[in-house]
């Protein structure tokens, strides 16, 4: 009988120890869950911010690329307009030089005619 009582005492003691360990382990689990949930929320927030920044940068890069294409197209258009104007200017210069040569020839002929007269 004493043997059984001793055994019961030991089992009760072991049970109490196990219950204490269980309570302590559950407390640790709760603390770790809170910690990891908090950490996960922070990381999700950071990820959201970085995604938003990346979206802004990506959008900005697209806008810049479009602006670059537009400016390049405008530059090409201006270059071709400048070539056309340069050709027109060269034609006018040739025409004016020819007109000056004709006038000089007429002036020379008139001078020669005036001298002979």
């Amino acid at each position: 009988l004493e043997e059984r009582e001793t055994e019961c005492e030991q089992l009760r003691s072991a049970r109490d120890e196990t219950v204490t360990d269980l309570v302590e382990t559950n407390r640790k689990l709760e603390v770790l869950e809170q910690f990891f949930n908090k950490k996960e929320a922070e990381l999700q927030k950071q990820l959201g911010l970085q995604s938003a920044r990346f979206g802004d940068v990506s959008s900005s890069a697209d806008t810049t690329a479009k602006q670059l294409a537009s400016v390049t197209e405008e530059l090409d258009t201006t270059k071709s307009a400048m070539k056309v104007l340069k050709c027109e200017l060269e034609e006018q210069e040739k025409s004016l030089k020819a007109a000056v040569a004709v006038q000089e020839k007429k002036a020379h002929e008139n001078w020669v005619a005036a001298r002979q007269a």
Side-chain angles (χ1 to χ4, degrees), residues 21-34:
D21 286 348
L22 176 65
V23 169
E24 188 178 325
T25 303
N26 281 336
R27 209 174 317 130
K28 287 180 182 178
L29 177 64
E30 286 177 27
V31 168
L32 287 174
E33 282 179 343
Q34 289 174 355

Side-chain angles (χ1 to χ4, degrees), residues 40-108:
E40 182 181 19
E42 288 175 15
L43 290 173
Q44 287 291 342
K45 182 179 176 183
Q46 287 177 359
L47 180 63
L49 291 173
Q50 288 178 355
S51 294
R53 278 191 217 132
F54 178 74
D56 291 347
V57 168
S58 178
S59 174
S60 177
D62 289 344
T63 303
T64 303
K66 288 177 184 176
Q67 286 176 341
L68 178 62
S70 174
V71 167
T72 303
E73 183 179 333
E74 186 178 340
L75 178 63
D76 291 342
T77 304
T78 304
K79 279 182 179 179
S80 71
M82 192 171 84
K83 284 181 183 179
V84 168
L85 288 173
K86 189 175 181 181
C87 288
E88 287 178 9
L89 183 63
E90 288 173 355
E91 289 296 319
Q92 286 179 0
E93 186 179 1
K94 286 179 186 177
S95 174
L96 286 174
K97 282 183 180 180
V100 166
V102 168
Q103 291 300 323
E104 285 179 350
K105 184 178 179 185
K106 281 184 184 178
H108 181 68

